[in-house]
Amino acid sequence: MAGSSGLGGGARGGQGPGTGPGAALRAPRAPLLLAALLLGAYSLCALPGRCPPAARAPAPAPAPAEPPRAARSPGAPGLPVARGPGRRRFPQALIVGVKKGGTRALLEFLRLHPDVRALGSEPHFFDRCYERGLAWYRNLMPRTLDGQITMEKTPSYFVTREAPGRIHGMSPDTKLIVVVRNPVTRAISDYAQTLSKTPGLPSFHALAFRHGLGAVDTAWSAVRIGLYAQHLEHWLRYFPLSRFLFVSGERLVSQPAAELGRVQDFLGLRRVVTDKHFYFNATKGFPCLRKAQGSRRPRCLGGSKGRPHPRVPEAVVRRLRDFYRPFNRKFYQMTGQDFGWD
């Protein structure tokens, strides 16, 4: 992953040779203003989004004779609510993390199972929309028949302090799935996603470290998310370890059927999703579905998945590996799984 850029590059570069304090005072302010604007834009991208504005709910309608197409939930633009047979239930299982770990892939793979009904969009109820109330949340869920499992995924739950207590308040029996990935690779992927939306950001290492290659900046969300052991410690105050399944984001790419087998076992489902459902797309670099839900044609995830990562100096990668190593080992001990990141 080593790149050609020097370690002194990025937004934190110093004065050029031969410049003194007087010259610095006379220097144009445009570059400084541009850097400030870019950092401000990045901060806005990194902040949690807002809950959709509420709208007045319509009066209840009589049950239709035939199930119509999925309708939109009042007050939640973009979140479909299925109508028809069955009933809406609170999720029995949640994919709670982590961002850029492979949560979208896992959800799409699980939706191949006939006994899984999952909300396609991320509702962000337990981190952004909790004030809407549990009835509002349940109304977002797809209808399910007896024996089917209701699910949703919102990766930011894992790093939200209030989420474990709120989910426990909904149901202490909720099954929790956490997709984890090498925290260094995950941080670079996180940065790549933000960079695609906000071109011109400071370099990765300028954001990851204070003062060049000084202390790692754990205030930066791309770094902080990868402290899995710290986040899990908080969750274990509310849920026993037996309520969790930790999915390897790396194995979800290299051995998708095997990881899906573990997930189906954890959810108490028959192993319906198997090797026959996947093929490896060499262009994207990850598995695709031979037959997507509701389609007769193969399907890969959206164009934003598998985007190329920016080149990061090898010295930066080594520093981050050293930084994460003790946290990774603690996470291995806590979960009883060695993810092989070290």
Side-chain angles (χ1 to χ4, degrees), residues 297-319:
R297 295 186 300 173
R299 176 179 177 268
C300 287
L301 297 180
S304 64
K305 305 300 180 183
R307 64 167 60 88
H309 288 179
R311 301 185 69 182
V312 177
E314 185 60 32
V316 172
V317 174
R318 284 197 303 268
R319 280 291 311 279

Side-chain angles (χ1 to χ4, degrees), residues 12-67:
R12 297 179 184 176
Q15 299 174 6
T19 59
L25 290 174
R26 294 190 300 272
R29 297 181 179 272
L32 295 176
L33 290 174
L34 178 60
L37 288 172
L38 289 171
L39 283 171
Y42 175 79
S43 299
L44 289 175
C45 289
L47 288 174
R50 294 180 178 179
C51 185
R56 182 183 301 175
E66 296 181 4

Side-chain angles (χ1 to χ4, degrees), residues 50-296:
R50 294 180 178 179
C51 185
R56 182 183 301 175
E66 296 181 4
R69 294 179 179 179
R72 298 288 176 182
S73 170
L79 297 178
V81 174
R83 302 185 185 279
R87 61 190 179 93
R88 287 188 284 269
R89 297 172 170 88
F90 291 121
Q92 297 102 314
L94 298 172
I95 301 174
V96 297
V98 296
K99 180 184 178 184
K100 307 308 298 178
T103 59
R104 170 56 57 185
L106 177 60
L107 184 72
E108 292 303 314
F109 296 165
L110 280 172
R111 292 175 81 182
L112 291 174
H113 200 293
D115 293 334
V116 172
R117 296 298 309 281
L119 187 63
S121 303
E122 296 174 5
H124 285 278
F125 176 68
F126 294 105
D127 59 349
R128 302 178 190 171
C129 303
Y130 193 66
E131 72 280 357
R132 295 290 182 83
L134 286 167
W136 178 88
Y137 179 57
R138 182 172 55 190
N139 193 54
L140 299 178
M141 297 300 128
R143 290 181 179 269
T144 53
L145 303 173
D146 290 341
Q148 291 182 320
I149 290 178
T150 303
M151 295 187 66
E152 68 110 326
K153 76 105 177 172
T154 304
S156 53
Y157 289 164
F158 192 61
V159 297
T160 299
R161 294 288 294 178
E162 299 83 3
R166 291 171 175 177
I167 294 171
H168 187 273
M170 177 187 71
S171 172
D173 296 324
T174 305
K175 293 184 177 182
L176 306 165
I177 300 174
V178 188
V179 188
V180 290
R181 181 184 182 188
N182 185 320
V184 178
T185 311
R186 197 222 65 81
I188 296 172
S189 180
D190 196 335
Y191 172 78
Q193 182 182 57
T194 306
L195 186 64
S196 70
K197 300 176 181 177
T198 314
L201 280 179
S203 66
F204 176 84
H205 64 266
L207 294 168
F209 298 94
R210 301 190 187 102
H211 312 298
L213 277 183
V216 174
D217 191 354
T218 55
W220 186 31
S221 64
V223 169
R224 188 175 64 253
I225 290 172
L227 302 174
Y228 304 140
Q230 290 188 356
H231 302 306
L232 180 58
E233 279 183 332
H234 182 61
W235 280 83
L236 291 177
R237 298 176 185 175
Y238 298 88
F239 292 94
L241 194 62
S242 61
R243 306 308 301 175
F244 291 86
L245 178 70
F246 301 95
V247 175
S248 166
E250 288 82 8
R251 287 196 293 272
L252 196 59
V253 172
S254 63
Q255 305 172 52
E259 284 298 281
L260 260 292
R262 295 180 60 239
V263 176
Q264 290 170 96
D265 291 346
F266 176 70
L267 296 175
L269 298 170
R270 295 170 295 133
R271 287 200 175 196
V272 171
V273 185
T274 62
D275 282 320
K276 67 181 182 181
H277 291 95
F278 301 101
Y279 73 96
F280 190 79
N281 185 303
T283 302
K284 281 185 167 288
F286 54 76
C288 297
L289 301 174
R290 292 190 183 278
K291 182 180 178 183
Q293 185 184 44
S295 173
R296 295 182 178 180

